[in-house]
Amino acid sequence: MIISHSHRFIFIANGRTGSKSIESALAHLHDQSDLDSPTQGLYTRGHIPPIMLRQRLPAQVWNSYKKFMFVRNPWDWVISQYFYNLERKFWPVARLGRKTRLTPWDITRLFEHLKQYRAIPEADSLFQSTYAYNDDGTCLVDYIGRFEYLQRDFSDIMNRFGIPAALPKLNTSPHGEFQLYYTDDTIKLVADLYAVDIANFNYQWNMG
């Protein structure tokens, strides 16, 4: 997350969408690191969702600042989350990137694992939609960029604020093109589990 009082914007950090690169590029503008603290069982450092951040900021700040975040094709996002959260943490480094297919068990295991980062207590698991929408379906951000066009969309948003910013490539997970890891069954399983993100951000399989 980045809150800039000088430029009157808030970057909402949805994980595995280039958020660490964006935070690095804008770190010199961050004015409220006191709000970066994690909440166990809900979100990690810097990943507070807008529905909770709104409660911790003065109303005039929340209402008048422009807010933006990034999203990623859910099938691609699942692969990135899997290799970052499960392969990286629970297997030796030498095994990274060796898995060639995700099984239904892998995907459901990830869905269960991500419950500890669900961001809001009533959510079934972690969804990207939590970082853009209220629980009643109201969009809480002004701009939604796409990971698939990260540099282009980031540059466009920065131009709106008159900020020159280069985007480094940080915190990537080692894997191939996401399409390689799926079968027909697992494509459908992700579509079922992450239907809310697919609908909210208008993604389809193989987009990206």
Side-chain angles (χ1 to χ4, degrees):
M1 178 188 69
I2 301 289
I3 298 177
S4 174
H5 296 307
S6 58
H7 290 84
R8 298 170 65 85
F9 74 74
I10 301 171
F11 166 61
I12 304 292
N14 170 34
R16 312 311 306 158
T17 62
S19 57
K20 287 293 182 289
S21 296
I22 294 172
E23 286 175 335
S24 176
L26 301 178
H28 63 291
L29 299 175
H30 191 20
D31 294 318
Q32 289 213 226
S33 58
D34 58 301
L35 296 178
D36 287 335
S37 300
T39 295
Q40 187 172 4
L42 288 179
Y43 54 86
T44 56
R45 177 177 175 81
H47 288 285
I48 183 172
I51 193 172
M52 292 184 172
L53 180 60
R54 181 175 59 178
Q55 299 170 8
R56 300 178 64 180
L57 287 173
Q60 66 271 22
V61 170
W62 178 263
N63 292 332
S64 64
Y65 285 24
K66 294 297 184 182
K67 296 164 282 288
F68 70 96
M69 54 88 71
F70 276 75
V71 297
R72 186 173 187 168
N73 182 318
W75 288 274
D76 190 17
W77 184 82
V78 163
I79 297 300
S80 183
Q81 289 282 8
Y82 179 84
F83 278 94
Y84 182 78
N85 281 284
L86 298 185
E87 287 279 297
R88 183 179 71 94
K89 291 182 179 178
F90 299 126
W91 296 98
V93 172
R95 189 172 184 267
L96 283 174
R98 291 186 181 179
K99 195 171 188 71
T100 58
R101 287 285 192 279
L102 260 62
T103 66
W105 183 78
D106 291 327
I107 292 170
T108 54
R109 180 170 65 132
L110 176 68
F111 190 82
E112 292 298 315
H113 175 80
L114 293 179
K115 286 183 176 181
Q116 63 189 301
Y117 312 120
R118 67 185 67 203
I120 55 175
E122 60 268 26
D124 292 331
S125 186
L126 175 63
F127 297 106
Q128 297 185 73
S129 294
T130 307
Y131 288 86
Y133 289 90
N134 201 345
D135 53 4
D136 65 0
T138 302
C139 189
L140 297 173
V141 298
D142 300 286
Y143 311 119
I144 297 177
R146 293 186 181 266
F147 177 82
E148 295 78 22
Y149 306 104
L150 179 61
Q151 185 62 67
R152 184 200 71 184
D153 288 357
F154 178 72
S155 296
D156 179 62
I157 293 169
M158 289 301 97
N159 287 338
R160 296 169 187 256
F161 297 113
I163 301 171
L167 196 60
K169 190 173 184 179
L170 302 174
N171 204 34
T172 59
S173 52
H175 58 80
E177 295 296 321
F178 74 88
Q179 297 92 337
L180 301 174
Y181 296 91
Y182 285 98
T183 64
D184 289 345
D185 287 344
T186 52
I187 290 170
K188 184 179 185 305
L189 180 57
V190 170
D192 291 340
L193 290 176
Y194 298 96
V196 62
D197 291 339
I198 293 167
N200 280 336
F201 304 122
N202 196 28
Y203 274 109
Q204 298 176 16
W205 161 249
N206 219 18
M207 285 177 62

